[in-house]
PDB file of all heavy atoms in Angstrom:
ATOM      1  N   GLY H 168       6.933  23.572  25.041  1.00  0.00           N
ATOM      2  CA  GLY H 168       6.651  23.396  26.465  1.00  0.00           C
ATOM      3  C   GLY H 168       5.660  22.251  26.639  1.00  0.00           C
ATOM      4  O   GLY H 168       5.090  21.743  25.667  1.00  0.00           O
ATOM      5  N   TRP H 169       5.466  21.843  27.873  1.00  0.00           N
ATOM      6  CA  TRP H 169       4.600  20.687  28.120  1.00  0.00           C
ATOM      7  C   TRP H 169       3.126  21.061  28.022  1.00  0.00           C
ATOM      8  O   TRP H 169       2.690  22.034  28.601  1.00  0.00           O
ATOM      9  CB  TRP H 169       4.877  20.105  29.512  1.00  0.00           C
ATOM     10  CG  TRP H 169       6.214  19.448  29.619  1.00  0.00           C
ATOM     11  CD1 TRP H 169       7.323  19.941  30.228  1.00  0.00           C
ATOM     12  CD2 TRP H 169       6.576  18.173  29.075  1.00  0.00           C
ATOM     13  NE1 TRP H 169       8.371  19.075  30.104  1.00  0.00           N
ATOM     14  CE2 TRP H 169       7.943  17.966  29.395  1.00  0.00           C
ATOM     15  CE3 TRP H 169       5.893  17.206  28.345  1.00  0.00           C
ATOM     16  CZ2 TRP H 169       8.637  16.821  29.013  1.00  0.00           C
ATOM     17  CZ3 TRP H 169       6.576  16.057  27.961  1.00  0.00           C
ATOM     18  CH2 TRP H 169       7.931  15.869  28.302  1.00  0.00           C
ATOM     19  N   TRP H 170       2.378  20.278  27.243  1.00  0.00           N
ATOM     20  CA  TRP H 170       0.918  20.415  27.140  1.00  0.00           C
ATOM     21  C   TRP H 170       0.278  19.203  27.805  1.00  0.00           C
ATOM     22  O   TRP H 170       0.736  18.070  27.613  1.00  0.00           O
ATOM     23  CB  TRP H 170       0.464  20.438  25.679  1.00  0.00           C
ATOM     24  CG  TRP H 170       0.814  21.677  24.924  1.00  0.00           C
ATOM     25  CD1 TRP H 170       1.064  22.902  25.431  1.00  0.00           C
ATOM     26  CD2 TRP H 170       0.935  21.794  23.503  1.00  0.00           C
ATOM     27  NE1 TRP H 170       1.340  23.791  24.426  1.00  0.00           N
ATOM     28  CE2 TRP H 170       1.271  23.139  23.223  1.00  0.00           C
ATOM     29  CE3 TRP H 170       0.795  20.916  22.443  1.00  0.00           C
ATOM     30  CZ2 TRP H 170       1.466  23.612  21.938  1.00  0.00           C
ATOM     31  CZ3 TRP H 170       0.988  21.379  21.151  1.00  0.00           C
ATOM     32  CH2 TRP H 170       1.319  22.722  20.906  1.00  0.00           C
ATOM     33  N   GLU H 171      -0.786  19.426  28.554  1.00  0.00           N
ATOM     34  CA  GLU H 171      -1.569  18.291  29.018  1.00  0.00           C
ATOM     35  C   GLU H 171      -2.115  17.564  27.804  1.00  0.00           C
ATOM     36  O   GLU H 171      -2.503  18.185  26.812  1.00  0.00           O
ATOM     37  CB  GLU H 171      -2.715  18.760  29.909  1.00  0.00           C
ATOM     38  CG  GLU H 171      -2.273  19.321  31.252  1.00  0.00           C
ATOM     39  CD  GLU H 171      -3.468  19.708  32.105  1.00  0.00           C
ATOM     40  OE1 GLU H 171      -4.613  19.622  31.608  1.00  0.00           O
ATOM     41  OE2 GLU H 171      -3.254  20.102  33.260  1.00  0.00           O
ATOM     42  N   LEU H 172      -2.164  16.248  27.873  1.00  0.00           N
ATOM     43  CA  LEU H 172      -2.568  15.460  26.714  1.00  0.00           C
ATOM     44  C   LEU H 172      -3.977  15.817  26.255  1.00  0.00           C
ATOM     45  O   LEU H 172      -4.257  15.885  25.052  1.00  0.00           O
ATOM     46  CB  LEU H 172      -2.492  13.961  27.027  1.00  0.00           C
ATOM     47  CG  LEU H 172      -2.442  13.048  25.789  1.00  0.00           C
ATOM     48  CD1 LEU H 172      -1.199  13.334  24.962  1.00  0.00           C
ATOM     49  CD2 LEU H 172      -2.471  11.590  26.217  1.00  0.00           C
ATOM     50  N   GLU H 173      -4.888  16.071  27.200  1.00  0.00           N
ATOM     51  CA  GLU H 173      -6.253  16.429  26.834  1.00  0.00           C
ATOM     52  C   GLU H 173      -6.292  17.772  26.112  1.00  0.00           C
ATOM     53  O   GLU H 173      -7.072  17.971  25.186  1.00  0.00           O
ATOM     54  CB  GLU H 173      -7.158  16.460  28.073  1.00  0.00           C
ATOM     55  CG  GLU H 173      -7.446  15.091  28.660  1.00  0.00           C
ATOM     56  CD  GLU H 173      -8.046  14.137  27.619  1.00  0.00           C
ATOM     57  OE1 GLU H 173      -9.005  14.540  26.925  1.00  0.00           O
ATOM     58  OE2 GLU H 173      -7.556  12.993  27.510  1.00  0.00           O
ATOM     59  N   ARG H 174      -5.452  18.708  26.553  1.00  0.00           N
ATOM     60  CA  ARG H 174      -5.381  20.009  25.882  1.00  0.00           C
ATOM     61  C   ARG H 174      -4.861  19.835  24.455  1.00  0.00           C
ATOM     62  O   ARG H 174      -5.366  20.449  23.510  1.00  0.00           O
ATOM     63  CB  ARG H 174      -4.473  20.952  26.657  1.00  0.00           C
ATOM     64  CG  ARG H 174      -4.383  22.340  26.013  1.00  0.00           C
ATOM     65  CD  ARG H 174      -3.267  23.166  26.604  1.00  0.00           C
ATOM     66  NE  ARG H 174      -3.122  24.411  25.867  1.00  0.00           N
ATOM     67  CZ  ARG H 174      -2.006  25.133  25.840  1.00  0.00           C
ATOM     68  NH1 ARG H 174      -0.939  24.732  26.505  1.00  0.00           N
ATOM     69  NH2 ARG H 174      -1.938  26.252  25.149  1.00  0.00           N
ATOM     70  N   PHE H 175      -3.826  18.984  24.307  1.00  0.00           N
ATOM     71  CA  PHE H 175      -3.276  18.725  22.976  1.00  0.00           C
ATOM     72  C   PHE H 175      -4.346  18.152  22.048  1.00  0.00           C
ATOM     73  O   PHE H 175      -4.474  18.575  20.901  1.00  0.00           O
ATOM     74  CB  PHE H 175      -2.098  17.757  23.080  1.00  0.00           C
ATOM     75  CG  PHE H 175      -1.685  17.166  21.763  1.00  0.00           C
ATOM     76  CD1 PHE H 175      -0.999  17.924  20.830  1.00  0.00           C
ATOM     77  CD2 PHE H 175      -2.018  15.852  21.440  1.00  0.00           C
ATOM     78  CE1 PHE H 175      -0.637  17.385  19.599  1.00  0.00           C
ATOM     79  CE2 PHE H 175      -1.654  15.307  20.219  1.00  0.00           C
ATOM     80  CZ  PHE H 175      -0.959  16.075  19.295  1.00  0.00           C
ATOM     81  N   LYS H 176      -5.129  17.200  22.537  1.00  0.00           N
ATOM     82  CA  LYS H 176      -6.180  16.586  21.718  1.00  0.00           C
ATOM     83  C   LYS H 176      -7.202  17.629  21.285  1.00  0.00           C
ATOM     84  O   LYS H 176      -7.698  17.606  20.157  1.00  0.00           O
ATOM     85  CB  LYS H 176      -6.858  15.463  22.495  1.00  0.00           C
ATOM     86  CG  LYS H 176      -5.990  14.220  22.631  1.00  0.00           C
ATOM     87  CD  LYS H 176      -6.507  13.278  23.707  1.00  0.00           C
ATOM     88  CE  LYS H 176      -7.883  12.756  23.377  1.00  0.00           C
ATOM     89  NZ  LYS H 176      -8.357  11.803  24.411  1.00  0.00           N
ATOM     90  N   LYS H 177      -7.504  18.582  22.176  1.00  0.00           N
ATOM     91  CA  LYS H 177      -8.457  19.636  21.834  1.00  0.00           C
ATOM     92  C   LYS H 177      -7.870  20.569  20.781  1.00  0.00           C
ATOM     93  O   LYS H 177      -8.548  20.962  19.827  1.00  0.00           O
ATOM     94  CB  LYS H 177      -8.843  20.424  23.085  1.00  0.00           C
ATOM     95  CG  LYS H 177      -9.907  21.478  22.833  1.00  0.00           C
ATOM     96  CD  LYS H 177     -10.307  22.171  24.122  1.00  0.00           C
ATOM     97  CE  LYS H 177     -11.394  23.233  23.841  1.00  0.00           C
ATOM     98  NZ  LYS H 177     -11.782  23.947  25.080  1.00  0.00           N
ATOM     99  N   LEU H 178      -6.586  20.932  20.943  1.00  0.00           N
ATOM    100  CA  LEU H 178      -5.936  21.824  19.974  1.00  0.00           C
ATOM    101  C   LEU H 178      -5.878  21.192  18.593  1.00  0.00           C
ATOM    102  O   LEU H 178      -6.085  21.858  17.584  1.00  0.00           O
ATOM    103  CB  LEU H 178      -4.504  22.151  20.428  1.00  0.00           C
ATOM    104  CG  LEU H 178      -4.321  22.999  21.686  1.00  0.00           C
ATOM    105  CD1 LEU H 178      -2.836  23.183  21.963  1.00  0.00           C
ATOM    106  CD2 LEU H 178      -4.999  24.346  21.528  1.00  0.00           C
ATOM    107  N   ARG H 217       5.572  12.584  28.854  1.00  0.00           N
ATOM    108  CA  ARG H 217       5.792  12.490  30.302  1.00  0.00           C
ATOM    109  C   ARG H 217       4.615  11.751  30.916  1.00  0.00           C
ATOM    110  O   ARG H 217       3.458  12.043  30.602  1.00  0.00           O
ATOM    111  CB  ARG H 217       5.935  13.884  30.915  1.00  0.00           C
ATOM    112  CG  ARG H 217       6.512  13.857  32.329  1.00  0.00           C
ATOM    113  CD  ARG H 217       6.927  15.239  32.758  1.00  0.00           C
ATOM    114  NE  ARG H 217       5.766  16.075  33.095  1.00  0.00           N
ATOM    115  CZ  ARG H 217       5.814  17.382  33.279  1.00  0.00           C
ATOM    116  NH1 ARG H 217       6.951  18.017  33.115  1.00  0.00           N
ATOM    117  NH2 ARG H 217       4.735  18.053  33.592  1.00  0.00           N
ATOM    118  N   ILE H 219       2.371  10.121  34.224  1.00  0.00           N
ATOM    119  CA  ILE H 219       1.996  10.137  35.633  1.00  0.00           C
ATOM    120  C   ILE H 219       1.585   8.711  35.943  1.00  0.00           C
ATOM    121  O   ILE H 219       0.556   8.226  35.450  1.00  0.00           O
ATOM    122  CB  ILE H 219       0.850  11.117  35.928  1.00  0.00           C
ATOM    123  CG1 ILE H 219       1.298  12.557  35.660  1.00  0.00           C
ATOM    124  CG2 ILE H 219       0.381  10.962  37.375  1.00  0.00           C
ATOM    125  CD1 ILE H 219       0.232  13.589  35.943  1.00  0.00           C
ATOM    126  N   VAL H 223       0.564   8.109  29.956  1.00  0.00           N
ATOM    127  CA  VAL H 223       1.101   9.329  29.335  1.00  0.00           C
ATOM    128  C   VAL H 223       0.110  10.460  29.560  1.00  0.00           C
ATOM    129  O   VAL H 223      -1.056  10.374  29.163  1.00  0.00           O
ATOM    130  CB  VAL H 223       1.334   9.128  27.819  1.00  0.00           C
ATOM    131  CG1 VAL H 223       1.744  10.451  27.173  1.00  0.00           C
ATOM    132  CG2 VAL H 223       2.395   8.073  27.565  1.00  0.00           C
ATOM    133  N   SER H 224       0.575  11.524  30.205  1.00  0.00           N
ATOM    134  CA  SER H 224      -0.320  12.631  30.567  1.00  0.00           C
ATOM    135  C   SER H 224       0.094  13.958  29.968  1.00  0.00           C
ATOM    136  O   SER H 224      -0.707  14.893  29.919  1.00  0.00           O
ATOM    137  CB  SER H 224      -0.400  12.770  32.095  1.00  0.00           C
ATOM    138  OG  SER H 224      -0.899  11.588  32.682  1.00  0.00           O
ATOM    139  N   PHE H 225       1.354  14.071  29.520  1.00  0.00           N
ATOM    140  CA  PHE H 225       1.835  15.333  28.959  1.00  0.00           C
ATOM    141  C   PHE H 225       2.637  15.063  27.689  1.00  0.00           C
ATOM    142  O   PHE H 225       3.230  13.997  27.513  1.00  0.00           O
ATOM    143  CB  PHE H 225       2.732  16.070  29.967  1.00  0.00           C
ATOM    144  CG  PHE H 225       2.019  16.533  31.202  1.00  0.00           C
ATOM    145  CD1 PHE H 225       1.896  15.693  32.302  1.00  0.00           C
ATOM    146  CD2 PHE H 225       1.461  17.804  31.264  1.00  0.00           C
ATOM    147  CE1 PHE H 225       1.230  16.124  33.448  1.00  0.00           C
ATOM    148  CE2 PHE H 225       0.794  18.243  32.392  1.00  0.00           C
ATOM    149  CZ  PHE H 225       0.677  17.394  33.487  1.00  0.00           C
ATOM    150  N   ILE H 226       2.641  16.050  26.814  1.00  0.00           N
ATOM    151  CA  ILE H 226       3.398  15.959  25.556  1.00  0.00           C
ATOM    152  C   ILE H 226       3.992  17.322  25.240  1.00  0.00           C
ATOM    153  O   ILE H 226       3.397  18.366  25.552  1.00  0.00           O
ATOM    154  CB  ILE H 226       2.489  15.482  24.394  1.00  0.00           C
ATOM    155  CG1 ILE H 226       3.297  15.275  23.115  1.00  0.00           C
ATOM    156  CG2 ILE H 226       1.357  16.465  24.139  1.00  0.00           C
ATOM    157  CD1 ILE H 226       2.492  14.618  21.986  1.00  0.00           C
ATOM    158  N   ARG H 227       5.183  17.304  24.658  1.00  0.00           N
ATOM    159  CA  ARG H 227       5.748  18.555  24.147  1.00  0.00           C
ATOM    160  C   ARG H 227       6.485  18.256  22.849  1.00  0.00           C
ATOM    161  O   ARG H 227       6.872  17.106  22.575  1.00  0.00           O
ATOM    162  CB  ARG H 227       6.693  19.199  25.162  1.00  0.00           C
ATOM    163  CG  ARG H 227       8.050  18.553  25.304  1.00  0.00           C
ATOM    164  CD  ARG H 227       8.911  19.350  26.276  1.00  0.00           C
ATOM    165  NE  ARG H 227      10.195  18.697  26.518  1.00  0.00           N
ATOM    166  CZ  ARG H 227      11.078  19.107  27.436  1.00  0.00           C
ATOM    167  NH1 ARG H 227      10.782  20.153  28.206  1.00  0.00           N
ATOM    168  NH2 ARG H 227      12.217  18.476  27.594  1.00  0.00           N
TER     169      ARG H 227
END
Side-chain angles (χ1 to χ4, degrees):
W169 291 104
W170 289 336
E171 291 183 355
L172 199 62
E173 289 305 311
R174 181 192 174 203
F175 166 74
K176 287 164 63 178
K177 184 177 180 181
L178 293 179
R217 195 167 75 192
I219 295 181
V223 174
S224 300
F225 294 88
I226 185 172
R227 75 176 176 187

